[in-house]
Amino acid sequence: MEIGAAMNSGLQGMQRANQQVSQASQEIASASASGRNDVQQQDNANVNGAQTATESASETSQSVTATNTTDSLVSLNQGQTNFEANTRTVETADEVLGTMIDTNA
């Protein structure tokens, strides 16, 4: 039954997209928490007089965090788009199945 295969494919795609969105969300939250920790460490180092070395390390860390956050945001958007596309697949299979049932009744 082709409609069943389309329905299953759409549902599996929705599950994969959901996992992608969850993972990207966790990465974004982790990067945000990491950024707050970097600022706190920099403030502590400034108080202790180690400002120059900490600024260089902080800039590198912020650059990596920004790149990771950007990648995670792109992944989040892709997951959302994939979920929406698979939702349309399931809706279409449902409509076709409904039409077939109505036709046979």
Side-chain angles (χ1 to χ4, degrees):
M1 178 175 209
E2 297 295 322
I3 295 174
M7 186 82 67
N8 286 334
S9 178
L11 290 172
Q12 289 174 354
M14 289 169 68
Q15 289 173 340
R16 284 190 304 271
N18 186 38
Q19 290 171 349
Q20 183 178 4
V21 167
S22 294
Q23 182 178 356
S25 298
Q26 289 173 353
E27 291 171 358
I28 292 167
S30 175
S32 176
S34 175
R36 285 192 298 269
N37 289 339
D38 289 345
V39 169
Q40 185 178 14
Q41 289 173 354
Q42 183 177 3
D43 289 345
N44 291 341
N46 288 342
V47 169
N48 295 330
Q51 185 174 1
T52 305
T54 303
E55 285 178 355
S56 176
S58 178
E59 289 171 5
T60 302
S61 175
Q62 288 173 354
S63 175
V64 169
T65 301
T67 301
N68 291 342
T69 302
T70 301
D71 292 343
S72 296
L73 287 169
V74 169
S75 181
L76 182 68
N77 193 20
Q78 287 175 337
Q80 178 184 0
T81 302
N82 289 339
F83 192 90
E84 291 169 357
N86 284 293
T87 299
R88 280 181 256 152
T89 300
V90 170
E91 288 172 347
T92 301
D94 181 54
E95 289 175 18
V96 170
L97 183 59
T99 300
M100 289 176 63
I101 291 171
D102 290 342
T103 303
N104 291 329

